[in-house]
Amino acid sequence: MKKVLVTGGAGYIGSVLVRILLDKGYNVRVMDSLKFGGDALYDVSQHPNFEFVKGDIRNEEDIDKAIEGIDGIAHLAAIVGDPACSKFSDEANEVNWSGSVALFEKAEKAGVNRFVFASTCSNYGKMADPDSYVDEQSELRPVSLYAELKVKFENYLLNERKDARICATALRFSTVYGFSPRIRFDLTVNEFTRNVCLTGEQEIWGPQFSRPYCHVDDLARAVVLALEAPAEKVKANVYNVGDTTENYSKRMLMEEIQKQIPTAKAIYVERTEDPRDYRVNCDKIRDELGFTITKKVPDGIREIIKLMDSGMITDAHSAKFRNI
Ligand SMILES: NC(=O)c1ccc[n+]([C@@H]2O[C@H](COP(=O)([O-])OP(=O)(O)OC[C@H]3O[C@@H](n4cnc5c(N)ncnc54)[C@H](O)[C@@H]3O)[C@@H](O)[C@H]2O)c1
């Protein structure tokens, strides 16, 4: 595989993935509608192996332009997160479902070999038994339009189109954190750390609720691993991406921040319900594909502290750092 298309390549995870692919010698084309601008790709724009197509996956002509001559696709473009999908529900349906189907069908016809889909562990929703771990065999209980659309497109790829010629793989990402050229402060680890850096305190609703976390560099590395893995292993297959030891409650996250900023004040607010409370087992991707993480939550906290302490972010509450 030589030429990879990254949809959503100007985004938080995509802009990290693009750099990893370029460093590995791939030709990389990004297709992105630039909802949050293109700043994250300025420095790679002059790279000899980099191409950019400003386009929208809801537009068939843009898709045709983007997939010409492509061997593999990392499909990251989406309306991302529960709040954004609920606020822009029509757009979410068009991008996360119909546009994604159109991209896949056109790629199948055009002779693209690989298709890696950025799905989410949000698909698990609220666990029946909060003390156990969910894995890829567990029931999916989406509790938001965002997760419903991810589950629907996964089903399409892994069941309805499992006999397609393209080798398609779904990766259920843990909640991401850490530094990226498109920094996001609407993700728990980054948000809590930013707030503590700015105000010295953080209010935490429902500190007991848990989720799996994974550094943005490691999620991007998992996409490359799936693109490069033998097709017979990953075709019509699904993997949780992260590490089983990296499930944290919100209280545990705050305690990790306090280890690095001992003066940080936590204000815990009792809450008995959280629709998304799950612990995820990520052993399958380790055992089948040899994936291991290179960073843990404290590393991401350190990165955000360093970024905030640098003083380079002068408008940390700007809309450009969040998806809604
Ligand atoms: N951030 C997380 O914690 C997380 C967790 C699980 C899964 N994911 C998935 O990973 C992928 C990337 O997430 P991210 O955090 O980098 O989000 P992001 O919002 O930073 O990036 C998404 C990119 O997609 C682009 N885009 C949106 N609509 C488009 C359209 N119609 N046509 C072309 N481009 C379009 C945006 O301009 C943006 O650059 C998404 O599919 C997301 O659902 C993210």
Side-chain angles (χ1 to χ4, degrees):
M1 206 176 32
K2 287 258 161 55
K3 195 158 190 167
V4 176
L5 169 68
V6 181
T7 71
Y12 179 66
I13 302 169
S15 57
V16 172
L17 172 61
V18 164
R19 285 162 172 82
I20 296 177
L21 289 167
L22 288 171
D23 286 349
K24 290 198 82 171
Y26 285 98
N27 289 299
V28 179
R29 185 181 293 154
V30 164
M31 183 222 212
D32 199 298
S33 59
L34 301 185
K35 281 179 90 68
F36 311 102
D39 306 24
L41 296 177
Y42 283 174
D43 65 326
V44 293
S45 67
Q46 304 304 310
H47 193 292
N49 295 342
F50 178 80
E51 265 178 86
F52 181 72
V53 172
K54 183 170 188 302
D56 192 312
I57 67 157
R58 293 171 294 175
N59 179 321
E60 301 218 343
E61 281 172 20
D62 289 349
I63 295 180
D64 291 337
K65 235 185 275 169
I67 62 176
E68 199 191 336
I70 288 294
D71 301 305
I73 298 178
H75 179 37
L76 274 63
I79 304 304
V80 180
D82 297 355
C85 286
S86 104
K87 185 164 178 193
F88 308 108
S89 54
D90 290 344
E91 188 180 352
N93 267 293
E94 289 164 16
V95 177
N96 298 13
W97 169 244
S98 32
S100 296
V101 170
L103 174 71
F104 179 83
E105 291 303 334
K106 281 180 172 286
E108 170 80 353
K109 283 204 189 97
V112 175
N113 295 314
R114 294 299 187 100
F115 191 97
V116 174
F117 171 53
S119 190
T120 170
C121 285
S122 300
N123 292 353
Y124 294 114
K126 189 162 179 67
M127 282 171 56
D129 174 5
D131 292 327
S132 64
Y133 286 72
V134 284
D135 64 19
E136 289 83 350
Q137 308 295 322
S138 303
E139 186 191 353
L140 301 178
R141 302 165 151 226
V143 291
S144 62
L145 178 63
Y146 175 58
E148 271 168 29
L149 294 170
K150 290 285 183 185
V151 169
K152 191 171 169 187
F153 192 64
E154 264 193 18
N155 273 333
Y156 167 81
L157 283 183
L158 308 180
N159 299 315
E160 212 176 305
R161 298 294 275 125
K162 72 175 191 310
D163 297 320
R165 189 197 40 77
I166 301 189
C167 168
T169 309
L171 298 180
R172 289 184 190 145
F173 290 166
S174 297
T175 298
V176 60
Y177 62 84
F179 179 79
S180 151
R182 192 229 151 187
I183 195 74
R184 281 183 59 190
F185 287 125
D186 55 352
L187 296 158
T188 320
V189 172
N190 296 357
E191 182 184 3
F192 286 7
T193 309
R194 173 203 63 184
N195 292 350
V196 166
C197 288
L198 291 176
T199 68
E201 61 184 38
Q202 175 66 40
E203 195 168 87
I204 294 163
W205 294 64
Q208 72 276 30
F209 298 114
S210 290
R211 289 219 203 139
Y213 291 88
C214 187
H215 194 281
V216 60
D217 291 355
D218 288 325
L219 290 185
R221 287 173 53 249
V223 173
V224 180
L225 189 66
L227 284 168
E228 292 179 341
E232 59 274 18
K233 276 193 177 175
V234 296
K235 186 168 185 194
N237 213 338
V238 58
Y239 297 90
N240 296 331
V241 185
D243 189 287
T244 308
T245 62
E246 286 288 287
N247 288 278
Y248 289 76
S249 67
K250 287 183 244 178
R251 182 187 296 276
M252 289 161 71
L253 288 183
M254 193 59 202
E255 287 169 356
E256 289 300 335
I257 294 172
Q258 286 170 321
K259 283 182 195 162
Q260 297 188 43
I261 306 179
T263 53
K265 185 175 166 204
I267 304 158
Y268 294 116
V269 181
E270 196 185 327
R271 209 172 155 189
T272 48
E273 268 302 307
D274 188 328
R276 285 170 56 187
D277 179 29
Y278 48 89
R279 286 188 190 78
V280 175
N281 180 306
C282 298
D283 293 353
K284 180 179 172 187
I285 192 165
R286 180 197 66 195
D287 297 345
E288 291 188 8
L289 304 183
F291 176 74
T292 51
I293 57 169
T294 60
K295 291 185 175 173
K296 296 189 164 203
V297 162
D299 298 306
I301 292 170
R302 201 168 296 112
E303 290 171 1
I304 301 303
I305 293 174
K306 185 169 181 187
L307 180 66
M308 294 306 298
D309 282 356
S310 74
M312 291 170 83
I313 302 270
T314 53
D315 50 353
H317 287 283
S318 161
K320 69 181 179 216
F321 299 128
R322 55 177 191 267
N323 278 13
I324 193 155

